[in-house]
Amino acid sequence: MPQAQASINTGADLRGALPSRFKTARSTILFDRFMTRFIKIGGIGVIVAVAAIFFFIFAQILPLMSRAKVTLLETLSVAAGEYKALGIDEWAEKPFLVEKSGRITFYDLASKKIVYEFTPVDSLGSEVLAVKYDPLKQRFIYGTGDGNISIFQLHYDASYGENRRLITPRIEPLITAPVLKPEDPILVSDLASGDAGETMLVAGIFTAGEKTSVPVAIVTRESSLTGFSEPQFEKAIDLSPDIPGKPVRVLVNSNADGVLVATEEGSVHYFRVTPDVVRLRQSFRPFEDREDQRIGSLDYINGEVSVSVTNGKGLNRIFSLTIPPGEKRRIFVQTKEFESIGGAAGFFSASLRNKAFLTGHGSLVSLRYSTTETVRWEKRFPFDVKLGALSPRYDRILLLDSDRRLHFYDLEDPHPQAGWKAFFGKLWYEGYPEPAFIWQTTGSTDDFEPKLSIVPLVVGTLKGTWYALIFSLPIALLGALYTSQFSHTRLKLFIKPTMEIMASLPSVVLGFLAALWLAPLIETKVPSLLVVCILIPAGAMMFGAFWSQLPIRYRKWIKPGFEWLAIVPVLAVLGYWGWQLGPVIEKIFFVFQDPDTGIRTADFRLWWPQATGTPFNQRNSLVVGFMMGFAVIPIIFTIAEDALSNVPKTLVSGSLALGASRWQTAVRVVLPTAFPGIFSAIMIGLGRAIGETMIVVMATGNTPIMDFSIFSGMRTLSANIAVELPEAPYLGTLYRTLFLGAVILFVMTFVVNTVAEAVRQHFRAKYKTV
């Protein structure tokens, strides 16, 4: 014990006796402690920042998957009456009810009092038999006992006082069309109108005794710089001779060139109308495959390209105008089907902002979206709903119950066109002959149907990556193998820095060159390019085989590692011959024959669409493959060359000592040993290609299509974000959908990197004993 204590004292004495130059300064120790903590905090901060980024992105995406939210705001008791229509102004302040007698009553939601009443009897001069409200044009249509159809225009006047806005409704007559001259008392069962500016159509269903007629009045107006002249009634045409059965419902589109008539027997007849002639284009039975074929309701959806139809049991189907295969004209085709609402629709209200519509039967109210074939909101109330309406801004719902109470609801549904089905499902869009994956976010009219399928963008991303790797992988991997195993040391000192400089080239410069130089260059030289791509690899392999068979007395003329001096001139000659041979090949194999004149033309650009049915675009996948491959080659080359060069020299020397050639050693020893690193290089290059933006934006035409043709363009996820984001409204559906595209791009990259790491670890374990 005393001996141990002595040893401890001796150690302390020795430390105390150390020269000061060997002692660690206190400032260094403090700085080391500070940096240790700083690095830890920095690492935690990076993790927190990345997590916050993902939280923000997912917060932007989640609202896309939510359903509509409906909240009761207030209830208003209205006067007794037999109401036929319900509506509300754009500001959701002045709801109104239309009685069977034609009287219109406006209420103020703030004061819950009547603010305006309109009675058309004095203006019409005859009894009102039917009334209809057109929310699109804000017009009231009246059918009277004297055979006239009259239209009144609703206006809203805004005034300001006492720091508040006051909305005052005003109704004035627009036109009266004498569509019928009745000899007996008549009944009017339905009315409709359409206004295309210079031409208006007014239609109704009139019954006199046993005879039912469907007169359509044509009204014209002259346009000028100051507006339209007074409407002039031209003529009335009766459609009933072409309608088998008893008409019960009539619709007129807003272009004033189409009329739909539904019959009691379950048929729908579609007429095309011009100022000179009316033709029956189509007759169809919406529920011919069902036991109950009666038509309970027939209503236009916003845009008036599609109609919503229900039968007596409430089955809801959507029919849209399209040109099906084998037809040359647009006709109505069933595109969607919703679940039954339990009976014929008691009310219908189409949104003026999108393809949503409100319908229901009895106590059930359902908010549905036509494009995605989804129910946005549905509820069964403790009362029967007689009328329902959506506000023009798609932010309020009005319901009138059987006890004459008007229920006012707040509607929160900012993204009705979104959802899993919209992003990843095949939808049947208006005007298309079949369901398809389509990305198209803007149109020329307000009733445009947004198409938000992510699938074409994913396909475009994979397509661009595929063609880039086809071009880059052989060049990068074979170049890395040659540089690491066969080239001279002095040549390697030149090649590798050059490749690393290539990696620093801005992608926007490469995209600029691809769009303005490479694409026009190869547009007319595709056959030459194909011949060159065949001759150069084939010539290189043949020359290599020839060179390996030469006697050593000839091969010694070129030092090992400088064999490229012999092959480069050969490849240059083959490339020149191939380029010159292209036009000859084009004249023999790629001849386009005009189907009308029979003239034959040697042009690959015309031959390709005729032979394959796919388009030929100047900015296509071939251009992207070359230029994006040029951007990916340095990354794959550098990492693969490092992996090949780091193979232990003892393995290479041992293989050569056992009699293997340099090629055998490279293929059977070096490549398997370096494979984990090579695979990592490929996956990193793949990730670089997936995320490339500027080259794809500038060199592909940015067309979101689904085919893998090498001569057509594409649109990738990254390019789509760059193109669409400047036009995306903040927090709008497109804005959030672009964030969804970013997440999908991240997931694709994450999957690629995860697979790469798993495969790398597998091969690392496999070859660890080598």
Side-chain angles (χ1 to χ4, degrees):
M1 187 69 178
Q3 186 177 359
Q5 185 67 38
S7 299
I8 293 173
N9 293 335
T10 303
D13 295 340
L14 289 175
R15 285 195 296 271
L18 285 175
S20 59
R21 67 176 181 272
F22 293 120
K23 292 182 179 180
T24 304
R26 181 173 178 80
S27 60
T28 302
I29 295 174
L30 293 175
F31 182 76
D32 181 69
R33 291 175 180 174
F34 168 76
M35 290 304 300
T36 301
R37 290 175 173 80
F38 181 78
I39 291 172
K40 288 181 180 179
I41 295 172
I44 295 172
V46 170
I47 295 174
V48 171
V50 172
I53 291 173
F54 282 113
F55 177 79
F56 171 76
I57 293 176
F58 281 107
Q60 301 302 316
I61 295 173
L62 287 178
L64 294 174
M65 308 304 171
S66 61
R67 299 185 65 186
K69 297 178 181 179
V70 178
T71 307
L72 178 64
L73 296 178
E74 55 186 312
T75 301
L76 174 67
S77 295
V78 299
E82 187 177 353
Y83 297 108
K84 293 296 183 181
L86 170 65
I88 194 169
D89 63 297
E90 181 181 357
W91 304 271
E93 296 177 4
K94 302 290 190 294
F96 60 85
L97 290 162
V98 184
E99 298 182 38
K100 183 179 180 180
S101 63
R103 188 174 70 171
I104 307 169
T105 305
F106 287 80
Y107 291 85
D108 179 63
L109 284 176
S111 63
K112 297 187 178 182
K113 296 180 179 179
I114 297 175
V115 293
Y116 179 65
E117 287 185 299
F118 174 77
T119 304
V121 175
D122 297 335
S123 302
L124 297 176
S126 182
E127 180 187 3
V128 174
L129 300 179
V131 61
K132 187 76 173 289
Y133 175 62
D134 179 6
L136 179 63
K137 297 293 185 180
Q138 293 186 336
R139 291 173 180 173
F140 300 96
I141 311 168
Y142 292 96
T144 56
D146 56 2
N148 292 342
I149 298 179
S150 300
I151 300 178
F152 288 76
Q153 182 68 57
L154 171 62
H155 301 278
Y156 290 100
D157 300 323
S159 59
Y160 298 88
E162 298 180 359
N163 296 325
R164 62 188 296 267
R165 183 190 65 224
L166 179 63
I167 302 298
T168 305
R170 174 171 53 88
I171 298 175
E172 59 184 23
L174 181 64
I175 185 175
T176 296
V179 298
L180 198 67
K181 296 180 179 180
E183 298 178 357
D184 300 317
I186 62 173
L187 296 175
V188 183
S189 56
D190 200 13
L191 299 166
S193 71
D195 187 354
E198 295 185 355
T199 303
M200 295 175 60
L201 290 185
V202 182
I205 299 178
F206 290 76
T207 302
E210 298 295 328
K211 182 181 179 182
T212 301
S213 59
V214 186
V216 176
I218 299 177
V219 181
T220 60
R221 295 184 295 184
E222 293 184 0
S223 62
S224 64
L225 295 177
T226 58
F228 291 101
S229 63
E230 289 296 321
Q232 299 293 325
F233 171 75
E234 296 292 337
K235 60 182 177 180
I237 303 172
D238 187 10
L239 304 182
S240 58
D242 295 322
I243 302 173
K246 182 180 180 180
V248 294
R249 188 81 168 92
V250 63
L251 295 178
V252 178
N253 65 16
S254 58
N255 292 326
D257 60 4
V259 178
L260 281 173
V261 181
T263 66
E264 196 175 55
E265 291 75 19
S267 297
V268 176
H269 306 277
Y270 175 41
F271 294 87
R272 292 291 293 176
V273 181
T274 64
D276 300 323
V277 66
V278 176
R279 287 191 175 91
L280 176 64
R281 172 170 291 187
Q282 179 191 10
S283 296
F284 63 98
R285 301 181 69 87
F287 303 101
E288 61 181 351
D289 59 332
R290 298 289 175 168
E291 180 181 352
D292 188 349
Q293 299 185 10
R294 296 172 301 161
I295 296 178
S297 67
L298 178 71
D299 299 276
Y300 272 125
I301 296 172
N302 184 35
E304 300 179 349
V305 177
S306 300
V307 290
S308 170
V309 193
T310 61
N311 68 355
K313 293 185 177 181
L315 180 62
N316 186 194
R317 288 178 173 175
I318 306 297
F319 287 78
S320 301
L321 281 172
T322 185
I323 303 178
E327 291 284 341
K328 296 183 180 180
R329 301 179 302 179
R330 294 204 309 172
I331 61 174
F332 281 95
V333 175
Q334 181 185 340
T335 57
K336 312 284 191 324
E337 181 171 319
F338 290 89
E339 294 180 357
S340 172
I341 56 176
F347 58 89
F348 183 93
S349 178
S351 169
L352 302 182
R353 288 287 181 98
N354 48 49
K355 301 297 180 178
F357 60 93
L358 185 73
T359 188
H361 172 80
S363 62
L364 179 68
V365 179
S366 182
L367 179 64
R368 303 179 170 193
Y369 198 79
S370 172
T371 302
T372 56
E373 202 175 354
T374 55
V375 176
R376 300 297 301 168
W377 169 82
E378 192 170 85
K379 184 177 180 180
R380 189 171 293 277
F381 288 91
F383 50 80
D384 285 342
V385 179
K386 297 301 181 182
L387 294 174
L390 288 169
S391 66
R393 293 185 178 180
Y394 191 65
D395 59 353
R396 298 290 189 271
I397 292 178
L398 276 76
L399 299 178
L400 178 68
D401 67 16
S402 55
D403 295 327
R404 298 187 304 277
R405 289 178 302 178
L406 189 61
H407 304 268
F408 196 63
Y409 295 88
D410 176 70
L411 171 61
E412 184 181 349
D413 190 20
H415 312 292
Q417 61 269 54
W420 290 107
K421 199 169 185 179
F423 297 136
F424 305 106
K426 184 179 287 189
L427 299 180
W428 198 332
Y429 297 102
E430 292 179 346
Y432 285 79
E434 59 185 3
F437 298 106
I438 301 174
W439 174 274
Q440 186 181 358
T441 58
T442 57
S444 58
T445 60
D446 292 337
D447 53 30
F448 170 75
E449 190 175 34
K451 304 165 183 66
L452 301 175
S453 177
I454 300 292
V455 177
L457 307 179
V458 175
V459 170
T461 302
L462 297 177
K463 179 181 178 181
T465 303
W466 168 255
Y467 285 115
L469 292 181
I470 285 179
F471 174 71
S472 62
L473 276 182
I475 296 176
L477 294 182
L478 292 176
L481 183 64
Y482 173 78
T483 303
S484 64
Q485 303 300 316
F486 299 98
S487 67
H488 195 275
T489 306
R490 286 183 295 175
L491 185 63
K492 182 177 179 180
L493 294 177
F494 171 77
I495 292 177
K496 194 165 184 181
T498 302
M499 297 300 292
E500 291 172 350
I501 292 174
M502 282 177 57
S504 66
L505 288 176
S507 59
V508 66
V509 175
L510 297 179
F512 177 81
L513 292 175
L516 300 184
W517 172 71
L518 183 61
L521 176 67
I522 67 176
E523 179 185 10
T524 58
K525 300 295 183 180
V526 173
S528 298
L529 189 63
L530 295 177
V531 174
V532 169
C533 289
I534 294 173
L535 282 182
I536 288 184
M541 288 188 290
M542 293 175 63
F543 184 84
F546 168 75
W547 181 263
S548 64
Q549 298 300 319
L550 281 178
I552 190 64
R553 62 178 179 272
Y554 298 112
R555 284 187 291 164
K556 70 179 182 179
W557 292 350
I558 298 179
K559 294 181 179 180
F562 287 91
E563 292 86 351
W564 59 273
L565 293 174
I567 195 173
V568 166
V570 175
L571 297 183
V573 172
L574 289 175
Y576 176 79
W577 285 353
W579 195 259
Q580 299 301 320
L581 190 61
V584 178
I585 299 297
E586 187 174 40
K587 291 180 180 179
I588 297 174
F589 297 104
F590 306 120
V591 179
F592 166 78
Q593 183 173 359
D594 191 295
D596 297 326
T597 63
I599 298 177
R600 296 169 60 85
T601 306
D603 192 331
F604 185 88
R605 295 172 297 175
L606 300 176
W607 173 86
W608 178 261
Q610 189 179 61
T612 65
T614 58
F616 181 94
N617 300 320
Q618 183 193 71
R619 300 184 183 185
N620 50 47
S621 302
L622 182 64
V623 177
V624 173
F626 281 141
M627 199 53 73
M628 195 152 69
F630 185 83
V632 172
I633 283 174
I635 297 173
I636 300 177
F637 173 88
T638 301
I639 300 175
E641 198 277 336
D642 287 340
L644 291 167
S645 298
N646 288 331
V647 173
K649 297 300 181 184
T650 53
L651 296 178
V652 177
S653 301
S655 175
L656 295 174
L658 292 173
S661 65
R662 286 194 298 168
W663 176 252
Q664 290 173 324
T665 300
V667 172
R668 300 183 182 181
V669 176
V670 177
L671 273 179
T673 307
F675 186 79
I678 294 174
F679 189 79
S680 297
I682 295 173
M683 291 298 104
I684 293 174
L686 177 63
R688 168 74 167 83
I690 288 176
E692 176 55 46
T693 303
M694 292 311 301
I695 295 176
V696 183
V697 167
M698 303 177 72
T700 64
N702 280 308
T703 307
I705 55 178
M706 291 286 292
D707 68 76
F708 265 84
S709 171
I710 192 172
F711 296 112
S712 63
M714 88 268 307
R715 179 182 286 194
T716 65
L717 286 165
S718 56
N720 187 65
I721 295 172
V723 171
E724 298 278 5
L725 190 58
E727 305 297 330
Y730 178 64
L731 297 183
T733 302
L734 177 58
Y735 177 86
R736 297 186 187 277
T737 303
L738 295 178
F739 275 95
L740 176 62
V743 169
I744 294 174
L745 189 62
F746 163 76
V747 170
M748 292 174 65
T749 307
F750 177 78
V751 169
V752 167
N753 291 337
T754 302
V755 171
E757 182 62 20
V759 173
R760 190 182 71 84
Q761 293 294 343
H762 169 74
F763 284 101
R764 186 176 183 180
K766 181 177 180 180
Y767 295 110
K768 67 181 180 180
T769 57
V770 177

